[in-house]
Amino acid sequence: MMALLMAMTIPANAETLAGEPVATAAEVQETTEVAQADQKTKIELPAWVKNIKFSGYGMLQYIWQDPEGNKSNTFNLRLARFILDGKIGDFDWRAQIQGTNATGPGQPTVQLVDLYAEWRRFPEFKVRAGQFKRAFTFENPTHPITQGWRGYADVINKLSAFGDRTGERSSGGRDIGIQVSGDLFPNANGRRILHYQIGVYNGEGVNQKDMDNRKDIIGGIWVMPIKGVRIGAFGWTGSRGAMLDPQTGETRSVEKNRYCLSAEYDLNEYTFRAEYIHSQGWGAKSPGNNVREICYENGDKADGWYVFGIVPLIKTKLYAKARYQSYRNQKNWSTSVNQVEFGLNYKFTKSLEMHCEYSHVNDRSLAKHNYNLVDVELDFRF
C-alpha cells in the first residue's frame, strides 16, 4: 500500500510527469514577473502621433504643340507631392514636399511647399501661420488634379504667384506669413453664407525671407447665397524687394496692387468658374524664375480672365470640359495670349484618372499668332 501511495505522489522537485516537463513553483513565479515586466514596458503612442496621415499624388503628362519654328512633343513629369497631415488638440498641421521638373535659377527640383499650423477651435475665427496658399482667388487653393485642366489659367499663373509677373520663383501661389479666416452667419440648415480671410506675408514666395521689410496684405470675402454658389472679391497690396532698376543700376522695391472678382457654381459634379484679375506694378524680364530685374518695356499694368465648365457625361466616371482664357501682359490686345480649350476627363477609380484636352492658342507676341496644343495626363493619388 505504501509503495502504491509513493508511486502516485509527485516529488516537489520533480522535472517530468509522464515524460513531459513540469514547471516548478520558482519557474512559474519567474514567468509571471517577466510577463508583468513586458506589460510595463509597452509604449502608448500619444494621440497626435496616431492622428498623422500620409498621402500624396503624382501627375504624368504628354504635350504636343506646333507653334511655327518651335514644334515639340514630350513626355513630362508634371508634379509629385508627398504630404503629412496631423492634429494636435485644436491645431491642424501640414507638411508638404514637392518634386517637379520645372526648374529655374535658384529653384530646386525638390522643395518644401507647405509647412503650417492652424488653430481651428471656432469656425468663425481660425488662425494659420507658416508657409501656405495666399488668400487670393478661388482657383489658387484648388487641388491640381481636382482643378481638372493641364494647368491653372495663365492669369492665375502670372498674377496669383505661381510663376509671378514680378519674377518671383514659381511658388504655387504660396508665401510665408499669418492668416485669419472664418465662416459666419449659418442659415437654418447650418450652412454658413459668408466667408472672410486676410493674411500678412513676406511677399517673396516660398522659402524666402522678406527682402524689403515691407509686408504683403491680401484679403478676400465671398458670399454663398445658395448651395454650391460662391461670389467673391479679393484685394492685394504689397511689394517685391531687391529688384534691380536698369535705369539707375540700383535696387528697389516693386509695387504689387491687385484685385480679383470671382464667381463659381460647384455642386453635384457640375463645376463652373470665372475670375478676372487686374494688376498694377512693374514686372520682371522673366516671370517665375527668381529674376530680380525690372522690365519697364512690359508696362506697369496687366490683366486677364478665364471661364470654364466641367460637366458629367457619366456620373463619377466621364466628364466633358471647355475653357476660354486670356492674359494681357501689358493690358492691351497686342500682348494678349488667348486660348480656347476643350476635352474629356475619365476616372478609372477614385484615385486614378486621365485628362485629355485640345487647345487652340492665339499668341499675339508671335509672328504667326495661332497654333495648336494637345495635352494628355495620367494622375493618381495615394
Side-chain angles (χ1 to χ4, degrees):
M1 186 67 176
M2 181 62 69
L4 180 60
L5 289 173
M6 291 178 64
M8 295 177 63
T9 302
I10 300 174
N13 61 349
E15 296 291 329
T16 63
L17 176 63
E20 296 295 330
V22 176
T24 65
E27 290 173 334
V28 171
Q29 178 65 26
E30 181 181 355
T31 301
T32 302
E33 290 175 353
V34 170
Q36 290 174 345
D38 287 343
Q39 290 177 350
K40 290 179 181 179
T41 58
K42 284 183 179 178
I43 299 174
E44 182 67 25
L45 293 175
W48 70 268
V49 174
K50 293 180 180 179
N51 288 331
I52 294 177
K53 177 184 176 183
F54 174 72
S55 63
Y57 57 93
M59 306 180 76
L60 313 177
Q61 185 178 46
Y62 171 80
I63 302 176
W64 173 92
Q65 55 186 337
D66 65 348
E68 189 174 72
N70 194 27
K71 294 181 181 180
S72 66
N73 74 91
T74 183
F75 294 104
N76 182 36
L77 304 178
R78 178 182 165 189
L79 199 63
R81 284 185 177 160
F82 305 93
I83 308 165
L84 289 175
D85 289 300
K87 187 175 181 64
I88 305 175
D90 293 328
F91 287 83
D92 288 356
W93 61 267
R94 165 169 285 197
Q96 182 172 200
I97 294 175
Q98 170 180 291
T100 176
N101 69 350
T103 60
Q107 178 183 329
T109 55
V110 177
Q111 61 181 343
L112 181 69
V113 289
D114 282 315
L115 183 63
Y116 66 82
E118 183 172 49
W119 184 67
R120 300 177 59 88
R121 184 172 183 179
F122 303 107
E124 299 86 357
F125 184 80
K126 294 172 282 189
V127 182
R128 178 180 294 189
Q131 181 164 282
F132 51 89
K133 288 280 191 176
R134 290 166 161 113
F136 196 69
T137 80
F138 285 166
E139 182 147 315
N140 182 4
T142 307
H143 192 289
I145 297 178
T146 305
Q147 190 261 351
W149 295 91
R150 63 183 172 86
Y152 295 90
D154 281 353
V155 67
I156 298 295
N157 286 325
K158 299 297 193 300
L159 301 181
S160 190
F162 281 71
D164 201 83
R165 168 180 164 82
T166 61
E168 176 186 302
R169 73 171 60 187
S170 180
S171 61
R174 294 168 170 85
D175 204 347
I176 304 172
I178 187 168
Q179 172 187 287
V180 297
S181 66
D183 297 285
L184 307 174
F185 310 127
N187 63 13
N189 297 319
R191 182 176 58 81
R192 297 174 184 268
I193 62 175
L194 178 68
H195 175 89
Y196 73 90
Q197 54 191 43
I198 185 168
V200 180
Y201 310 87
N202 280 343
E204 299 293 338
V206 294
N207 308 317
Q208 294 285 301
K209 66 180 182 180
D210 198 329
M211 300 298 290
D212 61 2
N213 296 319
R214 297 169 57 185
K215 299 296 182 284
D216 283 17
I217 300 174
I218 306 174
I221 188 169
W222 62 78
V223 295
M224 296 162 278
I226 60 176
K227 188 176 181 181
V229 172
R230 293 193 294 170
I231 301 171
F234 301 83
W236 180 344
T237 184
S239 65
R240 185 171 191 236
M243 294 286 285
L244 175 66
D245 188 332
Q247 295 179 352
T248 65
E250 299 177 347
T251 59
R252 69 179 185 85
S253 297
V254 171
E255 302 297 321
K256 287 183 286 186
N257 297 304
R258 299 173 180 175
Y259 68 84
C260 174
L261 303 175
S262 309
E264 179 186 74
Y265 175 82
D266 186 5
L267 188 66
N268 296 328
E269 300 188 74
Y270 288 84
T271 304
F272 301 91
R273 184 162 63 244
E275 296 192 279
Y276 171 81
I277 305 176
H278 181 276
S279 175
Q280 182 274 322
W282 300 108
K285 284 190 173 182
S286 179
N289 286 323
N290 203 26
V291 173
R292 291 189 178 273
E293 183 176 346
I294 300 171
C295 184
Y296 287 111
E297 292 83 359
N298 283 340
D300 74 336
K301 290 184 175 64
D303 71 349
W305 56 89
Y306 72 89
V307 57
F308 78 70
I310 301 177
V311 301
L313 300 178
I314 302 174
K315 286 278 191 175
T316 73
K317 281 293 182 183
L318 182 64
Y319 304 82
K321 60 184 181 180
R323 177 170 71 173
Y324 173 77
Q325 59 168 312
S326 181
Y327 174 69
R328 305 191 300 177
N329 193 46
Q330 297 180 34
K331 202 185 174 182
N332 59 50
W333 288 108
S334 65
T335 61
S336 67
V337 179
N338 312 287
Q339 300 184 58
V340 178
E341 305 160 271
F342 56 86
L344 296 171
N345 294 341
Y346 183 78
K347 291 186 177 181
F348 298 97
T349 69
K350 185 178 179 180
S351 301
L352 179 67
E353 56 191 270
M354 178 173 284
H355 298 174
C356 305
E357 66 186 79
Y358 164 80
S359 177
H360 179 75
V361 184
N362 175 261
D363 185 342
R364 302 293 178 86
S365 68
L366 301 178
K368 185 179 179 181
H369 300 333
N370 300 316
Y371 66 92
N372 305 290
L373 184 150
V374 174
D375 177 89
V376 180
E377 288 189 16
L378 184 66
D379 303 330
F380 59 91
R381 310 171 194 245
F382 55 87

